[in-house]
Amino acid sequence: MPDQTGRRVVVTGANSGLGEQMALALGSAGAEVTLACRNVDKAQQVAEKIGDNARVAPLDLADLASVRAFADSFDGADVLINNAGVMAIPLRRTADGYEMQIGTNFLGHFALTGLILDRIDDRVVTMSSLMHKSARLDVDDLNWERRKYNRWTAYGDSKLADLMLALELADRLAGAGSDKTSLAAHPGYAATELQLHTESPVDWVMKLGNMTPIAQSAAEGALPALFAATSPHAANGEYYGPKNFGGMRGAPAVAGYRRAADDAELRQKLWSAAEKLTGVTVEV
């Protein structure tokens, strides 16, 4: 990682898992890191490991009022890493009534990005997942009001939506002649607590999976996002993930993704739906 002294980075969900490892690595490289988290107590413990160049800011992506409050007090950064998320949880709703996974993972980050993009000087990095390939994204029913809820499909939907956010933003930035860039990343199979909150027997399966040789550590899983956020070779519109074992582990490399993410009509429809649901118009 290049020296990050003098650069400011916001990492959402930096109180544990991948986000914690991103914050620690960036802080060690000299960056001023803002840990934007719902659990501020846990985030403060991470910030203390980093030192004086870390600060904690409350941010609950499942509450658009919290997103707006964060944006109102935001004074700028070089990089935004949209990392926070929930995975395969039972059907729940956000403070604004949206299905929790699409609401937290996608709509919250969409709103955050739109509200502070004018104060991000360099890059926006949005975390997707290998699970985006299992999505059955229905833009007309993002909130699972007509479909029978499936927690894994809902998670895949949110991660495909995140990838489409990153790619669409990249195209819009390029079209506007902006020097800013938008990139996406995924961690492969990283052993974190994210997989252990399904509140089902799958938790035990995932716990065992985290102990297999295929699973990377959280620090290794954070590498693609860190590459996207800091490397001078990371390019606008690229998607990075581990290069080995079908994208599950290894050093960062350009990753493949579903063709649906390049569907211009679907991306425009998703973008319009997100603006309507969040009340945030993204100015590029």
Side-chain angles (χ1 to χ4, degrees):
M1 185 188 299
D3 180 30
Q4 298 297 298
T5 301
R7 288 173 64 79
R8 295 184 294 171
V9 184
V10 177
V11 183
T12 68
N15 57 282
S16 64
L18 298 171
E20 176 182 1
Q21 295 303 318
M22 292 174 200
L24 291 171
L26 289 161
S28 294
E32 296 178 26
V33 186
T34 297
L35 292 77
C37 305
R38 180 179 59 83
N39 191 328
V40 294
D41 291 336
K42 288 186 69 175
Q44 189 58 48
Q45 295 174 23
V46 178
E48 289 171 2
K49 296 178 186 177
I50 297 171
D52 293 340
N53 54 331
R55 73 181 187 95
V56 174
L59 173 65
D60 184 353
L61 290 159
D63 184 345
L64 292 175
S66 175
V67 176
R68 289 185 178 277
F70 176 91
D72 288 344
S73 63
F74 182 65
D75 61 358
D78 296 285
V79 181
L80 166 64
I81 303 181
N82 289 323
N83 163 76
V86 292
M87 178 179 179
I89 59 175
L91 179 59
R92 295 197 179 103
R93 301 286 174 186
T94 68
D96 304 281
Y98 304 133
E99 187 275 316
M100 185 64 75
Q101 297 190 82
I102 201 76
T104 302
N105 300 356
F106 171 61
L107 292 175
H109 280 129
F110 180 92
L112 175 65
T113 301
L115 289 168
I116 68 172
L117 184 61
D118 62 333
R119 286 159 284 167
I120 297 296
D121 295 333
D122 187 11
R123 313 181 193 193
V124 177
V125 178
T126 303
M127 291 298 288
S128 183
S129 165
L130 286 170
M131 290 293 293
H132 86 274
K133 296 179 180 180
S134 68
R136 298 290 183 270
L137 187 64
D138 184 345
V139 178
D140 294 319
D141 189 27
L142 288 175
N143 291 310
W144 293 83
E145 295 165 333
R146 295 193 302 273
R147 294 176 290 170
K148 181 179 179 182
Y149 182 70
N150 181 295
R151 67 183 73 197
W152 290 100
T153 303
Y155 179 69
D157 285 0
S158 72
K159 292 288 104 178
L160 177 58
D162 279 335
L163 177 57
M164 294 171 78
L165 162 61
L167 298 177
E168 180 65 21
L169 180 59
D171 283 355
R172 293 187 180 213
L173 289 169
S178 175
D179 291 332
K180 301 177 187 181
T181 56
S182 170
L183 310 93
H186 76 84
Y189 189 158
T192 71
E193 295 181 2
L194 179 67
Q195 304 101 314
L196 307 181
H197 297 286
T198 69
E199 300 180 26
S200 75
V202 174
D203 286 353
W204 292 99
V205 177
M206 299 301 290
K207 192 171 185 178
L208 290 172
N210 283 354
M211 295 186 288
T212 66
I214 294 177
Q216 302 189 105
S217 68
E220 291 170 317
L223 292 178
L226 290 170
F227 179 86
T230 66
S231 174
H233 305 294
N236 186 45
E238 289 286 14
Y239 179 43
Y240 298 101
K243 68 178 181 180
N244 298 328
F245 294 96
M248 287 192 285
R249 63 178 296 126
V254 174
Y257 56 82
R258 278 181 60 182
R259 288 185 181 180
D262 281 331
D263 185 326
E265 183 178 350
L266 183 60
R267 288 204 325 222
Q268 294 283 349
K269 188 175 182 181
L270 177 66
W271 192 280
S272 295
E275 288 189 329
K276 181 177 180 181
L277 291 170
T278 63
V280 175
T281 300
V282 182
E283 301 287 349
V284 177

